[in-house]
Amino acid sequence: MIESYLKDLTQLKNVEAIAIYSLNNKLIDSWCDPNFNSKVLEELSLHYFQVFATLDLSVQNFQEIVITHEKGHFYTRILPNLLLIVLVRLPVEISLIRLIVNVKSIDLLNSRGLQKELKRSSVESKDFLNKKYLDESEKEYLKKLEI
Amino acid sequence: MEKIDENMVFVLNSQQSPEDSDLLHLEWAVVSQLDGQKTVRQIAENLALNTAEVEEIFKKLVSEELLVLVDRSEDDDIVPGELFKYVNHEMTLLLGPVAGIILEDVMEMMRLSRENFDRRKFLGLIDLLTNQIDDPVKQIEFQRNIYPKIKQYLLK
């Protein structure tokens, strides 16, 4: 799926890994550079779901998070019914990653393959995030922070 | 490296971690600015450092082999005028005659002109132009329409 619809991303020389998850944290597809440790992807998604859930709870409509580290970026994007994670090494232009995701994700989202995958999960919307990834005590704590 | 030029661009050396070096606060600040795109001058401006200070810091980081110079010889060029015409045309289809004014305004805001528009800033321009379009559907339409040309130009 990634190689079909996000081929332009996989062809960028500094892109190391790409993963797509349904909103209930099920890996739908992943792609990575042969030298990349794919286990990293498994550990990342849950953290991002929690971050997006926190933002969702505080009605901050963030759709994209870019975290820069000393060797590259973690680019993550919430698309309708999906979480997309792209790991890139420096130097790379995040504007280019964003542009490709904007342009190419439309066909991905409309693809029959993805629709089939998503049908198996009962997730309908991103409101689901804060229900699934934050428990009551976490929600209470976040409300007190007033973020 | 004898001289640090203000137009040089560096990235961190993947073989060395800055955590293993005894860096001062300002040196860490410089390291945190490195993204493979900002020039030495831009980093100096961002951190309000003067020429002597920034040169001294970069020299130290280079001498400790923490930085790698980015080779910009191949892509160090100016965006061709026809690309602006194309972008202007596509924006006009969506926004009408005001598109040309928006394009000029955004370039002025970036302190760049069509004659000296660095290709590394071009995607930033596209981001800013997209934000000038209110309708999210039209934003995507704009990007979809211009993407083949941008791909041809930037990813050749």
Side-chain angles (χ1 to χ4, degrees), chain A residues 7-9 11-13 64 68-71 73 77 89-107 110, chain B residues 11-19 28 31 34-37 70 119-124 126-127 140 143-144 146-147 150-151 154-155:
Chain A
K7 195 177 172 189
D8 288 357
L9 269 186
Q11 288 178 336
L12 293 180
K13 70 173 180 182
E64 174 186 289
T68 303
H69 56 93
E70 63 187 49
K71 291 175 187 166
H73 305 284
R77 177 88 169 259
R89 281 189 309 267
L90 291 173
V92 74
E93 288 189 79
I94 284 298
S95 299
L96 181 58
I97 305 288
R98 183 182 298 122
L99 178 67
I100 295 174
V101 173
N102 285 348
V103 171
K104 297 293 176 183
S105 63
I106 300 166
D107 292 337
N110 292 329
Chain B
V11 286
L12 273 176
N13 182 353
S14 58
Q15 311 299 319
Q16 297 270 6
S17 172
E19 286 173 11
W28 272 112
V31 165
L34 296 170
D35 60 359
Q37 290 175 39
V70 175
R119 73 182 267 167
R120 285 175 296 275
K121 312 268 182 186
F122 188 66
L123 286 166
I126 298 302
D127 261 354
I140 297 297
Q143 294 196 339
R144 283 197 98 168
I146 60 168
Y147 180 69
I150 291 180
K151 185 180 168 185
L154 289 177
L155 307 180

Side-chain angles (χ1 to χ4, degrees), chain B residues 95-110:
Chain B
L95 299 178
V98 74
I101 299 168
I102 292 172
L103 179 59
E104 294 304 326
D105 281 354
V106 170
M107 282 201 281
E108 197 179 316
M109 194 172 77
M110 295 176 80

Side-chain angles (χ1 to χ4, degrees), chain A:
Chain A
M1 206 174 288
I2 288 172
E3 294 209 55
S4 306
Y5 294 99
L6 299 173
K7 195 177 172 189
D8 288 357
L9 269 186
T10 65
Q11 288 178 336
L12 293 180
K13 70 173 180 182
N14 286 354
V15 170
E16 291 184 298
I18 305 169
I20 302 172
Y21 296 85
S22 67
L23 295 188
N24 55 3
N25 199 15
K26 178 174 172 270
L27 180 68
I28 292 177
D29 194 16
S30 67
W31 170 92
C32 60
D33 187 279
N35 301 321
F36 186 83
N37 177 4
S38 60
K39 281 195 173 174
V40 173
L41 287 172
E42 292 167 22
E43 291 159 13
L44 272 177
S45 61
L46 181 62
H47 299 304
Y48 276 106
F49 274 122
Q50 287 179 320
V51 173
F52 278 111
T54 303
L55 294 167
D56 205 30
L57 184 74
S58 53
V59 203
Q60 297 187 47
N61 191 23
F62 279 71
Q63 295 184 342
E64 174 186 289
I65 297 173
V66 183
I67 296 178
T68 303
H69 56 93
E70 63 187 49
K71 291 175 187 166
H73 305 284
F74 296 108
Y75 176 90
T76 48
R77 177 88 169 259
I78 281 281
L79 295 162
N81 299 321
L82 292 180
L83 172 72
L84 171 72
I85 300 180
V86 184
L87 273 66
V88 287
R89 281 189 309 267
L90 291 173
V92 74
E93 288 189 79
I94 284 298
S95 299
L96 181 58
I97 305 288
R98 183 182 298 122
L99 178 67
I100 295 174
V101 173
N102 285 348
V103 171
K104 297 293 176 183
S105 63
I106 300 166
D107 292 337
L108 168 70
L109 291 167
N110 292 329
S111 69
R112 287 188 66 186
L114 179 67
Q115 293 301 327
K116 265 188 190 173
E117 285 287 341
L118 292 175
K119 240 182 189 175
R120 290 182 202 152
S121 101
S122 57
V123 181
E124 291 296 332
S125 76
K126 136 173 135 66
D127 296 339
F128 166 84
L129 284 179
N130 67 50
K131 291 180 190 135
K132 180 170 171 71
Y133 295 103
L134 299 175
D135 64 27
E136 287 310 313
S137 57
E138 286 168 331
K139 285 182 197 172
E140 196 58 36
Y141 178 78
L142 289 166
K143 274 180 191 161
K144 280 182 190 162
L145 284 178
E146 292 182 344
I147 56 168

Side-chain angles (χ1 to χ4, degrees), chain B residues 38-79:
Chain B
K38 289 190 200 104
T39 61
V40 169
R41 183 179 55 203
Q42 286 168 327
I43 291 173
E45 282 173 5
N46 290 351
L47 300 174
L49 297 172
N50 64 37
T51 310
E53 286 170 329
V54 80
E55 187 167 344
E56 186 186 335
I57 291 171
F58 271 94
K59 270 189 173 168
K60 177 181 169 186
L61 296 174
V62 169
S63 70
E64 294 193 9
E65 297 182 344
L66 291 171
L67 307 187
V68 176
L69 181 65
V70 175
D71 180 9
R72 305 200 307 164
S73 55
E74 282 180 18
D75 60 355
D76 194 7
D77 59 6
I78 303 297
V79 177

